[in-house]
Amino acid sequence: MIDESRVLPPGIAADVVLSEVRQLRAGDRPTHGGQLFAYVYDPAVPGLDELAAAAHRESAHVNGLDPTAFPSLLAMENALVGTAGRVLGAGPGTTAPDVVGSVTSGGTESLILAVKTARDAHPEIDAPRIVVPSTAHAAFAKAAHYLRVALDVVPVSPDTLRPDPSAMAAAIRPETVLVACSAPSYAHGVVDPVAEIAAAAAAAGVRCHVDACFGGWTLPYLRRLGEPVPAFDFTVPGVTSISVDLHKYAYAPKGVSVLLHRDAQLRAPQYFAYADWPGYTMINPVIASTRSGGPIAAAYATLRHLGDDGYLRLAEATRDAVAGLADAVRAIDGLRLMAEPESTVVCFTATEGGPDLFVLVDELTARGWHTQPQLSYAGLPASVHLTVTASVAPRVAEFGPALADAVAAARTAGPVALPPKLVALATSLTPDALTPELVAGLAGGLGLGAGDATPDRMAVVNTLLDAAPPALRERLLVEFVGLLQRPTW
Ligand SMILES: Cc1ncc(COP(=O)(O)O)c(C=O)c1O
């Protein structure tokens, strides 16, 4: 008999549920195997996934809300902070012996907290501001938006892809609470002139945050391998905080970043404390209150297992993979590197008469290589981004021929020809004029309708977005994603 009061389907066997999850996962891009150059960080170390999963399981139900109730989590968190500090030039016997920090859920949370901490250190400033280079991660803009802090963006040189330190210095105002820079930047993988920027910030009495979320774990190892990595960490005077994501190049499963401050006094405004209600007094160092111990334990296990020798080996494999991929790009007529690789990114663009990059990205996808297109921005051309991890090393020799083949196919196909009406719309429409109906029509025309999977060929969508100014790109994509995010009843 059917129970009419039932709101959910009846429970099903564990193995059936798991096979459901696996079936859903089959449609995803491959997280392992060295062919996905964004979103995932795969060291290809046998047994590491199993170890991290086991550690996650041990602590999944532990709550980081109260460190006195679960000392295991506090111990692991302190160990992660200490290890991150050591990697970044801090700890006993260094010039930054008093570094403290917290584990957050990811780079974005670390950056939001770095901005919040800087803002709350200056309650006397009514309209706080932060200074960032234009290549700073979008999470700074998100932080500024969430926290009502104004964002002063300093353009980067189209040649070096770095900001001029004197322009960063000139952007500092009396209301500036934080100056930030990247080591390295996500888009191009270049390290900003941290020492000069930190010196300018210090001279103005302003905090300086180094966003080392992306490659901060690898740079010190690359330096030890002989690469010319400039000082970017706590050895640099004036650097007051650094973020580094363990779920990136520390190869921990997702959900773990570390935010470090040079000393406890600098960290103090990061805490949120509230006793003015009848429940428990809430003391939160990070944005979340209840926090699963799972990701922290998984990261702890990953770091302990890989150790210094493991990370050095992985950095070496990654460095060799980067060199091989960069050579493959250099060998192609019509492509050029945006910057000589200095970390773990290969980023290239097309030269005059070169292939259409968005078509090329689709051709690479069709050959099993998943790269990330980057739209043109403020005088910088559209480009293709490759985040390179250790798992790419054994596949490098296959990439060159695939790239050559994909370029030939992209040249044959030619660039995407958008209907002139669509181009006119993309270039003239203001975000406010975008009605849901217009977006739905556009999405339908581009094969992005509700309930559809994302299409294999994205060149048309990328070409349209590339023609649109950033504010319109934002609106269009918000609407598109809104179309995808519909409940299954
Ligand atoms: C330099 C940099 N900062 C911050 C972030 C944000 O990290 P998350 O995606 O973990 O929030 C990223 C992500 O790629 C990054 O590359």
Side-chain angles (χ1 to χ4, degrees):
M1 205 178 75
I2 295 175
D3 177 0
E4 293 298 336
S5 66
R6 195 180 76 195
V7 291
L8 299 178
I12 50 177
D15 57 335
V16 180
V17 182
L18 257 186
S19 78
E20 236 174 68
V21 172
R22 291 192 178 122
Q23 217 174 333
L24 285 167
R25 285 274 296 105
D28 291 348
R29 298 204 168 187
T31 54
H32 294 70
Q35 289 193 294
L36 175 53
F37 293 104
Y39 315 114
V40 298
Y41 299 80
D42 176 18
V45 172
L48 187 65
D49 278 354
E50 291 73 14
L51 169 66
H56 190 288
R57 191 172 55 235
E58 290 293 331
S59 296
H61 296 286
V62 169
N63 195 338
L65 171 63
D66 182 350
T68 61
F70 302 106
S72 68
L73 211 51
L74 182 64
M76 286 190 271
E77 181 163 358
N78 284 341
L80 293 180
V81 170
T83 310
R86 244 185 248 265
V87 168
L88 295 167
T94 71
T95 54
D98 302 320
V99 159
V100 291
S102 313
V103 172
T104 73
S105 65
T108 300
E109 185 180 352
S110 288
L111 296 184
I112 291 173
L113 283 172
V115 174
K116 175 214 140 36
T117 308
R119 183 197 68 173
D120 289 358
H122 288 283
E124 79 286 2
I125 297 180
D126 287 337
R129 318 182 69 87
I130 61 172
V131 176
V132 299
S134 58
T135 45
H137 194 273
F140 283 109
K142 182 172 176 176
H145 177 74
Y146 277 22
L147 299 166
R148 289 187 189 271
V149 168
L151 189 66
D152 291 315
V153 179
V154 174
V156 298
S157 148
D159 300 321
T160 65
L161 305 169
R162 293 178 176 82
D164 177 350
S166 60
M168 293 286 289
I172 300 174
R173 304 199 208 172
E175 303 81 25
T176 304
V177 294
L178 185 71
V179 175
C181 52
S182 316
S185 63
Y186 176 80
H188 312 114
V190 305
V191 181
D192 285 336
V194 174
E196 292 90 331
I197 293 170
V206 176
R207 292 176 182 230
C208 175
H209 181 82
V210 176
D211 177 6
C213 283
F214 181 46
W217 201 270
T218 317
L219 289 176
Y221 289 100
L222 290 176
R223 186 189 291 129
R224 273 166 59 184
L225 291 166
E227 298 300 311
V229 174
F232 71 95
D233 55 17
F234 282 112
T235 56
V236 178
V239 169
T240 52
S241 57
I242 307 183
S243 48
V244 61
D245 293 354
L246 305 187
H247 63 201
K248 293 192 171 82
Y249 282 98
Y251 293 114
K254 304 231 180 306
V256 191
S257 167
V258 175
L259 172 60
L260 300 165
H261 297 275
R262 192 176 279 276
D263 60 46
Q265 205 184 341
L266 286 162
R267 177 180 64 176
Q270 185 184 312
Y271 285 90
F272 177 80
Y274 199 74
D276 214 358
W277 76 305
Y280 55 88
T281 297
M282 197 162 89
I283 309 291
N284 291 157
V286 296
I287 295 177
S289 192
T290 282
R291 276 196 293 164
S292 167
I296 292 173
Y300 177 84
T302 304
L303 264 63
R304 294 281 295 137
H305 185 58
L306 290 175
D308 198 61
D309 49 328
Y311 285 116
L312 192 62
R313 240 186 356 261
L314 292 168
E316 192 172 16
T318 309
R319 179 197 62 182
D320 295 348
V322 165
L325 296 175
D327 281 345
V329 172
R330 285 191 202 96
I332 303 271
D333 200 26
L335 298 182
R336 77 169 168 85
L337 293 167
M338 286 288 288
E340 280 304 311
E342 56 185 86
S343 59
T344 55
V345 170
V346 174
C347 179
F348 61 87
T349 187
T351 56
E352 187 82 27
D356 182 287
L357 286 182
F358 301 133
V359 177
L360 174 59
V361 165
D362 284 348
E363 292 296 340
L364 281 168
T365 306
R367 288 160 179 77
W369 298 91
H370 305 275
T371 59
Q372 192 172 48
Q374 299 184 139
L375 305 178
S376 56
Y377 168 76
L380 301 178
S383 58
V384 179
H385 168 107
L386 278 65
T387 289
V388 184
T389 58
S391 64
V392 178
R395 312 296 304 260
V396 168
E398 298 164 61
F399 183 75
L403 181 63
D405 200 38
V407 166
R411 282 189 183 281
T412 306
V416 165
L418 286 179
K421 260 169 87 179
L422 211 54
V423 178
L425 203 63
T427 47
S428 64
L429 206 62
T430 59
D432 294 343
L434 257 190
T435 60
E437 295 73 33
L438 195 56
V439 173
L442 260 176
L446 296 171
L448 290 170
D452 294 347
T454 34
D456 292 340
R457 300 262 155 187
M458 292 295 289
V460 176
V461 177
N462 285 322
T463 305
L464 178 73
L465 290 172
D466 201 56
L472 186 57
R473 291 174 189 172
E474 290 162 6
R475 257 313 295 285
L476 274 168
L477 285 172
V478 165
E479 295 293 342
F480 285 162
V481 172
L483 287 175
L484 297 176
Q485 292 202 291
R486 296 279 187 239
T488 22
W489 298 112

mmCIF file of all heavy atoms in Angstrom, residues 106-108 111 137 184 186 211 213-214 245 247-248, ligand 1:
data_model
loop_
_atom_site.group_PDB
_atom_site.id
_atom_site.type_symbol
_atom_site.label_atom_id
_atom_site.label_comp_id
_atom_site.label_asym_id
_atom_site.label_seq_id
_atom_site.Cartn_x
_atom_site.Cartn_y
_atom_site.Cartn_z
ATOM 1 N N GLY A 106 38.710 26.880 2.317
ATOM 2 C CA GLY A 106 39.261 27.041 0.971
ATOM 3 C C GLY A 106 39.858 28.418 0.798
ATOM 4 O O GLY A 106 39.808 29.268 1.710
ATOM 5 N N GLY A 107 40.415 28.651 -0.376
ATOM 6 C CA GLY A 107 41.091 29.908 -0.637
ATOM 7 C C GLY A 107 40.171 31.106 -0.493
ATOM 8 O O GLY A 107 40.565 32.145 0.051
ATOM 9 N N THR A 108 38.968 30.970 -0.980
ATOM 10 C CA THR A 108 38.045 32.099 -0.921
ATOM 11 C C THR A 108 37.775 32.487 0.524
ATOM 12 O O THR A 108 37.787 33.673 0.879
ATOM 13 C CB THR A 108 36.743 31.753 -1.664
ATOM 14 O OG1 THR A 108 37.083 31.475 -3.031
ATOM 15 C CG2 THR A 108 35.746 32.886 -1.606
ATOM 16 N N LEU A 111 40.743 34.294 1.968
ATOM 17 C CA LEU A 111 40.885 35.677 1.505
ATOM 18 C C LEU A 111 39.810 36.579 2.113
ATOM 19 O O LEU A 111 40.082 37.725 2.490
ATOM 20 C CB LEU A 111 40.850 35.737 -0.024
ATOM 21 C CG LEU A 111 42.014 35.010 -0.722
ATOM 22 C CD1 LEU A 111 41.949 35.205 -2.232
ATOM 23 C CD2 LEU A 111 43.360 35.471 -0.204
ATOM 24 N N HIS A 137 43.125 37.136 -7.442
ATOM 25 C CA HIS A 137 41.990 36.221 -7.587
ATOM 26 C C HIS A 137 40.667 36.943 -7.319
ATOM 27 O O HIS A 137 40.588 37.841 -6.470
ATOM 28 C CB HIS A 137 42.142 35.051 -6.612
ATOM 29 C CG HIS A 137 41.210 33.919 -6.923
ATOM 30 N ND1 HIS A 137 39.937 33.860 -6.427
ATOM 31 C CD2 HIS A 137 41.368 32.838 -7.709
ATOM 32 C CE1 HIS A 137 39.348 32.764 -6.877
ATOM 33 N NE2 HIS A 137 40.196 32.123 -7.659
ATOM 34 N N PRO A 184 51.756 32.335 -6.721
ATOM 35 C CA PRO A 184 51.622 33.095 -7.960
ATOM 36 C C PRO A 184 50.156 33.394 -8.248
ATOM 37 O O PRO A 184 49.265 32.907 -7.552
ATOM 38 C CB PRO A 184 52.154 32.096 -9.001
ATOM 39 C CG PRO A 184 51.710 30.757 -8.460
ATOM 40 C CD PRO A 184 51.715 30.881 -6.955
ATOM 41 N N TYR A 186 46.672 33.068 -10.313
ATOM 42 C CA TYR A 186 46.035 31.881 -10.903
ATOM 43 C C TYR A 186 46.095 31.918 -12.424
ATOM 44 O O TYR A 186 46.508 30.946 -13.068
ATOM 45 C CB TYR A 186 44.570 31.766 -10.461
ATOM 46 C CG TYR A 186 43.894 30.597 -11.137
ATOM 47 C CD1 TYR A 186 44.082 29.304 -10.660
ATOM 48 C CD2 TYR A 186 43.115 30.774 -12.282
ATOM 49 C CE1 TYR A 186 43.514 28.214 -11.296
ATOM 50 C CE2 TYR A 186 42.547 29.680 -12.921
ATOM 51 C CZ TYR A 186 42.747 28.407 -12.427
ATOM 52 O OH TYR A 186 42.201 27.332 -13.069
ATOM 53 N N ASP A 211 48.633 36.237 -1.371
ATOM 54 C CA ASP A 211 47.747 35.138 -1.729
ATOM 55 C C ASP A 211 48.592 34.046 -2.378
ATOM 56 O O ASP A 211 48.876 34.088 -3.579
ATOM 57 C CB ASP A 211 46.651 35.624 -2.683
ATOM 58 C CG ASP A 211 45.759 34.477 -3.140
ATOM 59 O OD1 ASP A 211 45.926 33.359 -2.622
ATOM 60 O OD2 ASP A 211 44.895 34.709 -4.018
ATOM 61 N N CYS A 213 47.532 30.970 -2.154
ATOM 62 C CA CYS A 213 46.554 29.877 -2.135
ATOM 63 C C CYS A 213 46.884 28.830 -3.186
ATOM 64 O O CYS A 213 46.818 27.629 -2.959
ATOM 65 C CB CYS A 213 45.150 30.418 -2.431
ATOM 66 S SG CYS A 213 44.415 31.252 -1.027
ATOM 67 N N PHE A 214 47.214 29.319 -4.360
ATOM 68 C CA PHE A 214 47.323 28.433 -5.520
ATOM 69 C C PHE A 214 48.650 27.670 -5.497
ATOM 70 O O PHE A 214 48.673 26.450 -5.373
ATOM 71 C CB PHE A 214 47.186 29.306 -6.768
ATOM 72 C CG PHE A 214 47.250 28.581 -8.073
ATOM 73 C CD1 PHE A 214 46.528 27.420 -8.284
ATOM 74 C CD2 PHE A 214 48.024 29.078 -9.114
ATOM 75 C CE1 PHE A 214 46.585 26.766 -9.501
ATOM 76 C CE2 PHE A 214 48.072 28.440 -10.331
ATOM 77 C CZ PHE A 214 47.359 27.281 -10.524
ATOM 78 N N ASP A 245 46.452 27.090 0.095
ATOM 79 C CA ASP A 245 45.397 26.066 0.073
ATOM 80 C C ASP A 245 46.003 24.669 0.097
ATOM 81 O O ASP A 245 46.770 24.303 -0.803
ATOM 82 C CB ASP A 245 44.540 26.216 -1.192
ATOM 83 C CG ASP A 245 43.731 27.499 -1.187
ATOM 84 O OD1 ASP A 245 43.761 28.202 -0.159
ATOM 85 O OD2 ASP A 245 43.070 27.777 -2.200
ATOM 86 N N HIS A 247 44.180 22.081 -0.285
ATOM 87 C CA HIS A 247 43.475 21.268 -1.281
ATOM 88 C C HIS A 247 43.932 21.576 -2.715
ATOM 89 O O HIS A 247 43.332 21.100 -3.658
ATOM 90 C CB HIS A 247 41.948 21.372 -1.127
ATOM 91 C CG HIS A 247 41.346 22.731 -1.342
ATOM 92 N ND1 HIS A 247 40.106 23.075 -0.842
ATOM 93 C CD2 HIS A 247 41.773 23.826 -2.003
ATOM 94 C CE1 HIS A 247 39.824 24.315 -1.194
ATOM 95 N NE2 HIS A 247 40.809 24.793 -1.901
ATOM 96 N N LYS A 248 44.976 22.369 -2.824
ATOM 97 C CA LYS A 248 45.583 22.556 -4.147
ATOM 98 C C LYS A 248 46.897 21.753 -4.161
ATOM 99 O O LYS A 248 46.851 20.540 -4.209
ATOM 100 C CB LYS A 248 45.741 24.048 -4.450
ATOM 101 C CG LYS A 248 44.353 24.727 -4.600
ATOM 102 C CD LYS A 248 44.423 26.106 -5.184
ATOM 103 C CE LYS A 248 43.034 26.647 -5.532
ATOM 104 N NZ LYS A 248 42.315 27.229 -4.376
HETATM 105 C C1 LIG B 1 45.487 32.509 -6.289
HETATM 106 C C2 LIG B 1 44.187 31.948 -5.798
HETATM 107 N N1 LIG B 1 43.593 32.509 -4.726
HETATM 108 C C3 LIG B 1 42.415 32.064 -4.256
HETATM 109 C C4 LIG B 1 41.749 31.030 -4.872
HETATM 110 C C5 LIG B 1 40.393 30.597 -4.360
HETATM 111 O O1 LIG B 1 40.466 29.303 -3.862
HETATM 112 P P1 LIG B 1 39.171 28.405 -3.635
HETATM 113 O O2 LIG B 1 38.681 28.022 -4.995
HETATM 114 O O3 LIG B 1 39.725 27.267 -2.842
HETATM 115 O O4 LIG B 1 38.171 29.182 -2.875
HETATM 116 C C6 LIG B 1 42.333 30.404 -5.987
HETATM 117 C C7 LIG B 1 41.642 29.333 -6.685
HETATM 118 O O5 LIG B 1 42.046 28.868 -7.722
HETATM 119 C C8 LIG B 1 43.567 30.883 -6.465
HETATM 120 O O6 LIG B 1 44.151 30.355 -7.537
#
